[in-house]
Amino acid sequence: QKEVEQDPGPLSVPEGAIVSLNCTYSNSAFQYFMWYRQYSRKGPELLMYTYSSGNKEDGRFTAQVDKSSKYISLFIRDSQPSDSATYLCAMSEGKSTFGDGTTLTVKP
Amino acid sequence: SQTIHQWPATLVQPVGSPLSLECTVEGTSNPNLYWYRQAAGRGLQLLFYSVGIGQISSEVPQNLSASRPQDRQFILSSKKLLLSDSGFYLCAGERASGNTIYFGEGSWLTVV
């Protein structure tokens, strides 16, 4: 069993939809939780970074961490075609572990 | 934040030829450095990581090697490439005391 499991997708939504991307994990030592966005043929870029449980909002993006359930989510409001990318979750307790990514397509 | 420079961006190499991918880091000293490989539609596979000059840990046995000749320079090499070495290679770095990794733009390697 992998330490980090990410909903595999792919996910296709119409422009303007609310998107939910999710990961579960098994290592209770994880303290730092990240979301990366990766456009086709590019390196991943850090999108959101949170420490411990709770919510963090940045514009149209909200990262949510529930340590009691070992579950994290990334919500995208008013999704745009430019949000089409692969999203990777990552978690760290000194060493980072990545999910395999969910590919999102937002259709105009 | 850090900036990771990685080159070349794309290369096509014949089987049996050598490989050298280079990576440099700006914005931090004594970073932890990483080489990952990402197969098409797949997750990130950690190949090597380094916590300091000359200190290299290998995560998987393979046809590749890594070196760190300077604090902010990390090199991925092979003496003889195999077809199975084709893929997308990513250099990444983080502050020694940090918990977030920053990636370079990646290098696409096709072995023919």
Side-chain angles (χ1 to χ4, degrees):
Chain A
Q1 183 185 2
K2 291 182 179 179
E3 271 192 303
V4 177
E5 297 278 359
Q6 184 167 0
D7 289 353
L11 198 57
S12 181
V13 301
E15 184 175 354
I18 297 175
V19 176
S20 173
L21 303 167
N22 308 294
C23 289
T24 58
Y25 62 94
S26 57
N27 186 351
S28 58
F30 288 138
Q31 295 285 345
Y32 301 88
F33 303 90
M34 288 73 69
W35 286 96
Y36 290 81
R37 178 175 61 196
Q38 185 177 21
Y39 290 116
S40 180
R41 299 182 70 88
K42 297 290 185 182
E45 59 176 318
L46 182 64
L47 191 61
M48 299 283 284
Y49 167 88
T50 55
Y51 171 71
S52 199
S53 284
N55 292 356
K56 183 176 182 178
E57 187 173 321
D58 183 2
R60 295 184 295 109
F61 298 88
T62 300
Q64 189 174 80
V65 175
D66 182 349
K67 291 189 70 178
S68 62
S69 302
K70 297 190 178 66
Y71 190 90
I72 72 169
S73 298
L74 178 70
F75 298 97
I76 307 175
R77 292 185 299 279
D78 187 24
S79 56
Q80 302 296 309
S82 59
D83 296 327
S84 298
T86 296
Y87 291 81
L88 301 163
C89 65
M91 305 170 192
S92 175
E93 29 73 20
K95 182 179 177 182
S96 292
T97 303
F98 290 82
D100 286 345
T102 301
T103 297
L104 170 68
T105 301
V106 181
K107 297 185 176 180
Chain B
S1 65
Q2 306 161 52
T3 302
I4 312 292
H5 299 286
Q6 183 180 345
W7 70 94
T10 306
L11 66 166
V12 180
Q13 296 283 100
V15 169
S17 65
L19 170 74
S20 181
L21 300 179
E22 289 201 38
C23 170
T24 59
V25 180
E26 290 180 1
T28 187
S29 296
N30 195 30
N32 296 328
L33 297 175
Y34 304 85
W35 279 109
Y36 288 89
R37 178 166 56 200
Q38 188 177 38
R42 304 281 295 277
L44 294 167
Q45 179 188 32
L46 179 61
L47 301 176
F48 300 96
Y49 70 93
S50 172
V51 298
I53 295 174
Q55 300 179 61
I56 310 292
S57 296
S58 173
E59 288 292 306
V60 292
Q62 61 219 322
N63 187 40
L64 302 168
S65 63
S67 61
R68 185 169 176 175
Q70 299 181 46
D71 180 45
R72 288 176 282 183
Q73 183 185 22
F74 205 24
I75 299 171
L76 183 69
S77 304
S78 174
K79 292 182 179 179
K80 289 186 177 182
L81 284 168
L82 306 172
L83 287 173
S84 58
D85 292 323
S86 295
F88 189 44
Y89 290 83
L90 288 158
C91 179
E94 68 178 349
R95 288 188 175 84
S97 59
N99 285 282
T100 51
I101 288 179
Y102 294 87
F103 289 89
E105 283 296 292
S107 298
W108 282 95
L109 170 65
T110 303
V111 183
V112 296

